[in-house]
Amino acid sequence: MTVGGSVTGEIERSGDEDWHAVSLLAGETYVIHLKGADGDWGSLADPDIYYIYDPSGSRIAGTYDFNSGFKNNSYLEFRPETSGTYYINATGEGDHTGTYTISVQNWKDTGDDFRASEFTTSVVTVGGSVTGEIERSGDRDWHAISLLAGETYLIDLKGADGDWGTLTDPYLDSIYDASGRFISGTNDYDSGVGQNSYLEFRPEASGTYYVTATGEGNHKGTYTLSVQNWVDTSDDFLASGFTTSVVSVGGSVTGEIESSGDTDWHAVSLVAGETYVIDLKGATVTGARLRILLAWYIYDASGSYIRGTYDNNSGSGKNSSLEFRPEASGTYYINATGYEDSIGTYTLSVQNWANTGDDFQASEFTTSVVTVGGSVTGEIESSDDEDWHAVSLVAGETYLIDLKGVDGDWGTLADPLLWYIYDASGSSTGIYDNNSGSGKNSFLEFRPAASGTYYINATGYKDSIGTYTLSVQNWADTGDDFLASEFTSSVVTVGGSVTGEIERSGDRDWHAVSFVAGETYVIDLKGADGDWGTLADPVLWYIYDASGSLISGTYDDDSGSGKNSYLEFKPEASGTYYVNAAAYEGIGTYTLSVNNADNSVDDYLASELTTSVVTVGASVTGEIERSGDRDWHAVSFVAGETYVIDLKGANGDWGTLSDPYLNFIYDASGSRIGGTYDHDSGAGENSYLEFKPAASGTYYINAAGSGDDTGTYTLSVRTFADSGDDFLASELSTSFVTVGGSVTGEIESSGR
């Protein structure tokens, strides 16, 4: 084969080797590529350059390569000492067979900036930096540096993160010694800021070393490589086994995160089988608290990370807390860092759990086991305390989990919080609850996908501490009629109804219903008022979407007749929704009905979905068809104008409603405006209101009938300037009378 050319070949059988002759010049550096399936250069999955041989057929030491090219391809740089014919041996790793392509180029013809061998022209000084470029997938650049034995050096390889170049994902692909031999444990991927790489290295011997820069996968672009002696930096602790920090069990150490991406390792001697509580606490710094960052872990004596030993905010506030039980006695390293760009000082402490005074551990090491149908008591001793309780559950069964404190006299914990359920591996299921029980107690329904051990995490909301009771029941054993989750068996059809019962304080019943996007639905929850059940004060405790997420603005208490609840709802998407029936207080039976607004006998809706629009200077008629009916009327108001609102019925022959009343004005978002209620300020039992809006926009006037009163009415809206009235009947009046003086006025109409 010729320099600058290539040849294809095939490894036909396991153990087959192909030699390729090439004429090379002494002192020149040649780049040899052996490529197969990776990159579509042939079908050989894992090609190897199995040494170069000299003109006499003798193997040349150090000329073997395995996978230094792109993915499984091989790459080698070679500088012959004498001119002549050399032989490159191509083979397949293991039993691999197939076709390949081999090429030889003079390095100076490649366009590469730096060689990937000890022939590199790049030299970086300690305290300095060098820029380079990964020109192609699989390109590697070696950089020579002179280091002293026993000194600790910080090596940073930075690209796009931080604007140090265009290389998106730089990778420190090991350090090599002066003879070009790979040094184990000297590669790094993403330990720097963002996707940059960072490595601490302490050479055993003084001399020249080679740092290899490359790009992860197919990434290419420019980068910056810098090397510093640690003693010349402002960093307090190293992020490796070279750290000078030692924390004793029962003690603590303070440290500082001096820069974004800084990490500090702290050595600690631990005993196998003991459980340790590790707390990392800091103050608010640049908008965040210091914490053990996700994926930074505890490391063993060899510097290998231990899976599952990271923590994110399990301590008080944004502090971190972790429980760890080592399998072997020895030295471990705890890695402290700051979230994102957080910098500042922190305190790291390590305690043996047996010495903490805590009743239960916050991990799968807990000693608490609660049986289904039973309960356990515990105590939250501090603001950041969490107690895990193991329970054995069966797949497909539905369990009711109650965490109770002060409310109901189940303990002294004011606000108990079910802070997630964890599976047997200690991974969160993402299911938690706060205040779904009676009062501030927590309640949760859980249906496991797999049988096995689960862990229920009990804690206190914010700084709440005290005792609590945790109970777990199989729903089938509770006597409850409907579940309070998407597991409910209740389905109500539009145009139909369902009856249910609130059996205990805090009980909630979910009812599934299928809604169509853009349609308006009227939801009635009725109890004792009207003889629809025995529940004195039913509450519509929100509507939930198909995923079980609460829909804001769908709560109602007492908008129906008497203490019944009433809600209008227009879904944005078609699908299954869940209506949650509950009680404000007490227990009893109820009736829930769902109707399409178009099919109801009501003329106007009692929400911003109403079709009624009244213009200023005009009027609209309506009807209160049933006890508890309310009609909203949209009107456009201008800020600073004073409006006169009249709601009239039988008095004056404006309709048949004997006692109409203005049941508040609502703003464009549907929020009630205080002070806008009126009953009987008009002529006879009619209602009258003066209103000056603070902002221009759409408002809603709510017309209703007193008590069980039904009938027709007339609603009119005028500006005060157009009313013919001389003075307003409110604090908006323009009339001022002085002490010792007088004023004249006129009563222009019956009423005010």
Side-chain angles (χ1 to χ4, degrees):
M1 63 188 303
T2 58
V3 174
S6 64
V7 67
T8 58
E10 184 176 2
I11 301 302
E12 292 90 359
R13 57 180 172 74
S14 172
D16 182 24
E17 299 176 3
D18 295 346
W19 283 29
H20 302 274
V22 61
S23 181
L24 305 178
L25 297 176
E28 292 290 310
T29 302
Y30 297 93
V31 176
I32 303 166
H33 282 281
L34 180 61
K35 298 180 281 192
D38 283 316
D40 200 24
W41 294 94
S43 59
L44 185 59
D46 199 354
D48 283 358
I49 296 175
Y50 196 62
Y51 297 101
I52 298 175
Y53 293 77
D54 65 18
S56 68
S58 298
R59 176 188 291 179
I60 301 171
T63 59
Y64 169 85
D65 182 77
F66 171 61
N67 292 1
S68 290
F70 175 60
K71 292 188 176 178
N72 281 335
N73 293 331
S74 289
Y75 170 90
L76 187 68
E77 292 178 3
F78 176 59
R79 181 181 288 174
E81 295 181 359
T82 60
S83 299
T85 298
Y86 289 81
Y87 302 95
I88 304 167
N89 187 1
T91 188
E93 176 68 17
D95 294 331
H96 287 293
T97 61
T99 58
Y100 61 84
T101 302
I102 185 168
S103 64
V104 180
Q105 285 180 285
N106 192 307
W107 179 79
K108 62 187 179 184
D109 298 328
T110 63
D112 194 12
D113 54 352
F114 299 121
R115 299 179 180 115
S117 67
E118 63 273 23
F119 306 132
T120 185
T121 57
S122 173
V123 178
V124 58
T125 58
V126 174
S129 64
V130 64
T131 59
E133 183 175 3
I134 302 302
E135 290 92 353
R136 57 176 174 77
S137 174
D139 182 26
R140 289 175 170 78
D141 295 346
W142 282 30
H143 303 273
I145 184 166
S146 181
L147 304 178
L148 297 176
E151 293 289 308
T152 303
Y153 298 93
L154 312 185
I155 302 169
D156 275 294
L157 180 62
K158 297 179 282 191
D161 281 315
D163 201 24
W164 294 93
T166 60
L167 186 58
T168 304
D169 198 356
Y171 176 43
L172 276 168
D173 190 22
S174 305
I175 298 176
Y176 294 77
D177 65 17
S179 65
R181 285 192 298 265
F182 158 84
I183 300 172
S184 178
T186 59
N187 67 310
D188 180 77
Y189 176 61
D190 291 352
S191 290
V193 176
Q195 291 193 311
N196 293 330
S197 290
Y198 170 86
L199 185 69
E200 293 173 4
F201 177 58
R202 181 179 289 174
E204 295 181 359
S206 299
T208 299
Y209 290 82
Y210 301 95
V211 180
T212 306
T214 188
E216 176 65 16
N218 293 321
H219 290 290
K220 55 187 180 180
T222 58
Y223 62 85
T224 301
L225 174 72
S226 63
V227 180
Q228 287 180 285
N229 190 310
W230 179 71
V231 297
D232 298 329
T233 70
S234 60
D235 193 17
D236 52 353
F237 299 121
L238 290 163
S240 67
F242 305 133
T243 185
T244 56
S245 173
V246 178
V247 58
S248 57
V249 174
S252 64
V253 64
T254 58
E256 183 174 3
I257 301 302
E258 291 91 358
S259 62
S260 171
D262 181 29
T263 58
D264 295 345
W265 282 30
H266 303 274
V268 60
S269 181
L270 304 179
V271 176
E274 293 289 309
T275 302
Y276 298 92
V277 178
I278 301 166
D279 280 294
L280 179 63
K281 295 182 275 193
T284 301
V285 182
T286 62
R289 285 183 185 265
L290 293 173
R291 59 189 182 189
I292 300 177
L293 182 60
L294 186 69
W296 284 92
Y297 304 101
I298 295 175
Y299 295 75
D300 63 19
S302 69
S304 299
Y305 79 87
I306 301 170
R307 192 177 300 276
T309 58
Y310 64 80
D311 180 75
N312 185 10
N313 290 1
S314 292
S316 57
K318 289 191 174 180
N319 293 327
S320 287
S321 178
L322 184 70
E323 292 180 1
F324 176 57
R325 181 181 288 175
E327 295 182 358
S329 299
T331 299
Y332 291 82
Y333 300 96
I334 303 167
N335 189 4
T337 188
Y339 182 64
E340 292 182 345
D341 295 330
S342 179
I343 59 173
T345 57
Y346 61 85
T347 300
L348 173 72
S349 63
V350 181
Q351 286 181 285
N352 190 308
W353 180 78
N355 300 327
T356 63
D358 193 13
D359 53 351
F360 299 121
Q361 289 154 337
S363 68
E364 60 274 24
F365 306 133
T366 186
T367 56
S368 173
V369 178
V370 58
T371 57
V372 174
S375 63
V376 64
T377 58
E379 183 175 2
I380 302 302
E381 290 93 355
S382 63
S383 63
D384 57 351
D385 183 27
E386 297 176 6
D387 294 346
W388 283 30
H389 303 273
V391 61
S392 181
L393 304 179
V394 177
E397 293 288 308
T398 302
Y399 298 92
L400 310 186
I401 302 168
D402 273 294
L403 180 63
K404 297 178 283 191
V406 168
D407 283 314
D409 199 25
W410 295 92
T412 61
L413 187 59
D415 197 353
L417 172 63
L418 279 167
W419 193 240
Y420 297 103
I421 297 175
Y422 295 78
D423 64 19
S425 68
S427 299
S428 171
T429 61
I431 299 171
Y432 77 101
D433 180 77
N434 186 21
N435 295 355
S436 289
S438 58
K440 289 194 171 181
N441 293 330
S442 288
F443 172 83
L444 190 66
E445 293 176 2
F446 178 59
R447 181 178 288 175
S451 299
T453 299
Y454 290 82
Y455 301 95
I456 303 167
N457 187 0
T459 187
Y461 183 66
K462 292 187 175 177
D463 295 329
S464 181
I465 59 174
T467 58
Y468 61 84
T469 301
L470 173 72
S471 63
V472 181
Q473 287 180 285
N474 190 309
W475 178 75
D477 301 328
T478 64
D480 191 16
D481 54 352
F482 300 121
L483 289 163
S485 67
E486 60 272 25
F487 306 133
T488 185
S489 58
S490 173
V491 178
V492 58
T493 58
V494 174
S497 63
V498 65
T499 58
E501 184 175 1
I502 302 301
E503 291 94 354
R504 58 177 175 80
S505 173
D507 182 27
R508 292 182 172 89
D509 294 345
W510 282 30
H511 303 274
V513 60
S514 181
F515 286 147
V516 176
E519 293 287 310
T520 302
Y521 298 92
V522 175
I523 302 167
D524 275 293
L525 180 63
K526 296 178 282 192
D529 279 317
D531 200 23
W532 293 94
T534 60
L535 188 60
D537 195 355
V539 176
L540 280 167
W541 194 261
Y542 297 100
I543 297 175
Y544 295 75
D545 64 19
S547 68
S549 299
L550 178 148
I551 300 172
S552 178
T554 58
Y555 170 92
D556 182 78
D557 182 27
D558 296 349
S559 289
S561 58
K563 289 196 171 181
N564 293 331
S565 290
Y566 170 90
L567 185 70
E568 292 167 5
F569 178 59
K570 182 186 282 186
E572 295 182 358
S574 299
T576 300
Y577 290 80
Y578 300 95
V579 181
N580 188 358
Y584 182 74
E585 59 184 8
I587 60 175
T589 58
Y590 61 84
T591 301
L592 173 72
S593 63
V594 180
N595 288 283
N596 191 303
D598 292 340
N599 299 328
S600 72
V601 295
D602 196 12
D603 52 353
Y604 300 122
L605 293 167
S607 69
E608 61 272 22
L609 304 174
T610 185
T611 57
S612 174
V613 178
V614 58
T615 57
V616 175
S619 63
V620 65
T621 58
E623 184 175 1
I624 302 301
E625 291 91 353
R626 57 179 173 78
S627 172
D629 181 26
R630 290 172 173 81
D631 294 346
W632 282 29
H633 303 273
V635 60
S636 182
F637 285 150
V638 176
E641 286 287 320
T642 302
Y643 297 91
V644 175
I645 302 167
D646 277 292
L647 181 63
K648 297 179 282 191
N651 283 120
D653 200 23
W654 293 94
T656 61
L657 187 61
S658 60
D659 195 0
Y661 76 96
L662 286 164
N663 194 32
F664 296 99
I665 297 176
Y666 294 76
D667 64 20
S669 68
S671 298
R672 177 188 291 180
I673 300 171
T676 60
Y677 172 93
D678 181 77
H679 188 200
D680 295 350
S681 290
E685 292 194 323
N686 293 331
S687 290
Y688 170 90
L689 185 69
E690 293 169 2
F691 178 59
K692 182 185 282 187
S696 298
T698 299
Y699 291 80
Y700 300 95
I701 302 169
N702 187 0
S706 181
D708 293 331
D709 195 18
T710 61
T712 58
Y713 62 85
T714 301
L715 173 72
S716 63
V717 181
R718 294 174 290 168
T719 65
F720 169 71
D722 298 330
S723 68
D725 195 9
D726 52 354
F727 299 122
L728 290 163
S730 68
E731 66 277 15
L732 304 174
S733 178
T734 56
S735 173
F736 292 90
V737 59
T738 58
V739 175
S742 63
V743 65
T744 59
E746 182 178 1
I747 301 302
E748 291 91 356
S749 63
S750 170
R752 303 288 190 276

